[in-house]
Amino acid sequence: MPRAEVNRAAEMEVFVRVVDRGGFSAAARDFRLTPSAVSKLMSRLESRLNARLINRSTRQLRLTPEGHAFYNRAVRVLADLEEAEREAAAGAAPRGHLRVNCNVPFGRHHLLPLIPAFLARYPEVTLDLILSDTVIDLLQERADVAIRVGPLRESRLVARKLGTSRMVVVGSPHYLKRTGMPEMPADLLRHRRIGWTFARLQPGWPFLKGRGTETIQPPSVVNASDGEAARQLALEGVGLARLALFHIGPDIEQGRLMPVLQEFNPGDREDIHAVYLGQGGPLPARARALIDFLGSHIRIADRALRRQRSGRWRLVSDRATG
């Protein structure tokens, strides 16, 4: 069949509906077709691609590896096609649905407070907000935009930097009164660490040692699934945690948490990015609107800690530290 005569968008739409609905009959009802017509269309698609997409049985359908890959691509293509039509019809005004993924600390302390103003500016945009410290696959999870804290590992992603934040080991005053303030990194081996339920690129905590660094991994007393849970555990005096200043800066300023071993802090930072999948096409207006809004409203200074004469720590900008 000549390429021009193949309605590839229609084939993709039917294929995606078959997968989403779990069968030919349900998809056929949605399109007011017969199940045999849908089956023939799927067979024609597989024949044209020279690949089996679905393994059929009397009870269920199972996607082949090729089917999984084609499904993920088809979902994205159909979403882009729908957005292109909407933008053409509405003069590219931001509208439609956005699925946004963000880690818990940044989401609670920086993203969520901005959502009312964003929705007031763009009343035709709706949102799904998923807060999780698990690093997701944007394509698999159908996320339009994600906020990532830390190193970016996916080359497919296009990123816009929103800020950067230093890391610091902290404990509550009553925990440190009970256990004593560590004076050297090695002292941490006698302390209790609040760790993570997920793997980190660096399992231990880095500290300055001579001209280099050393990694110390205190024994873990409890593991948390997200940064906000780790913060709360630290506030309750469970143990020491290593968290970003964008997250715990107010706790330090108000004396709820105290920095530990700052003279050995290597000053490493975690960058914060808004990311999306780069596939060569234009970014949907609704996603561009959100990224631009975050870029203009989020202010995360890379701040350091300085000890006052009183012994308390205060946050200062790098420019102020000289």
Side-chain angles (χ1 to χ4, degrees), residues 117-187:
F118 174 77
L119 293 177
R121 178 176 294 186
Y122 302 106
E124 296 188 72
V125 175
T126 58
L127 297 170
D128 277 349
L129 296 177
I130 302 94
L131 300 188
S132 170
D133 277 10
T134 302
V135 177
I136 66 162
D137 183 301
L138 270 68
L139 185 61
Q140 184 175 355
E141 298 295 327
R142 302 192 198 179
D144 299 289
V145 179
I147 309 297
R148 293 277 173 86
V149 178
L152 299 178
R153 290 173 287 179
E154 294 183 56
S155 59
R156 304 182 293 172
L157 299 179
V158 179
R160 176 167 174 175
K161 189 174 179 179
L162 300 176
T164 187
S165 187
R166 290 177 182 266
M167 303 297 294
V168 60
V169 177
V170 293
S172 70
H174 55 283
Y175 170 82
L176 293 169
K177 182 179 180 179
R178 186 173 73 247
T179 61
M181 179 71 74
E183 297 181 359
M184 301 291 292
D187 294 341

Side-chain angles (χ1 to χ4, degrees), residues 54-131:
I54 299 174
N55 286 323
R56 303 160 176 81
S57 70
T58 56
R59 293 186 177 182
Q60 60 183 352
L61 302 178
R62 290 186 179 274
L63 287 176
T64 65
E66 294 80 9
H68 276 291
F70 187 74
Y71 173 81
N72 289 332
R73 286 286 186 176
V75 167
R76 181 63 61 180
V77 168
L78 291 172
D80 289 344
L81 179 60
E82 181 180 357
E83 182 62 23
E85 292 176 347
R86 287 179 178 175
E87 291 184 0
R95 63 173 62 197
H97 197 66
L98 267 179
R99 189 173 174 87
V100 182
N101 180 274
C102 182
N103 81 339
V104 178
F106 192 88
R108 289 193 60 180
H109 295 274
H110 294 274
L111 177 61
L112 293 182
L114 292 175
I115 293 303
F118 174 77
L119 293 177
R121 178 176 294 186
Y122 302 106
E124 296 188 72
V125 175
T126 58
L127 297 170
D128 277 349
L129 296 177
I130 302 94
L131 300 188

Side-chain angles (χ1 to χ4, degrees), residues 179-198:
T179 61
M181 179 71 74
E183 297 181 359
M184 301 291 292
D187 294 341
L188 294 177
L189 297 176
R190 292 185 276 105
H191 281 261
R192 304 199 299 177
R193 174 175 59 98
I194 300 169
W196 307 105
T197 58
F198 51 87

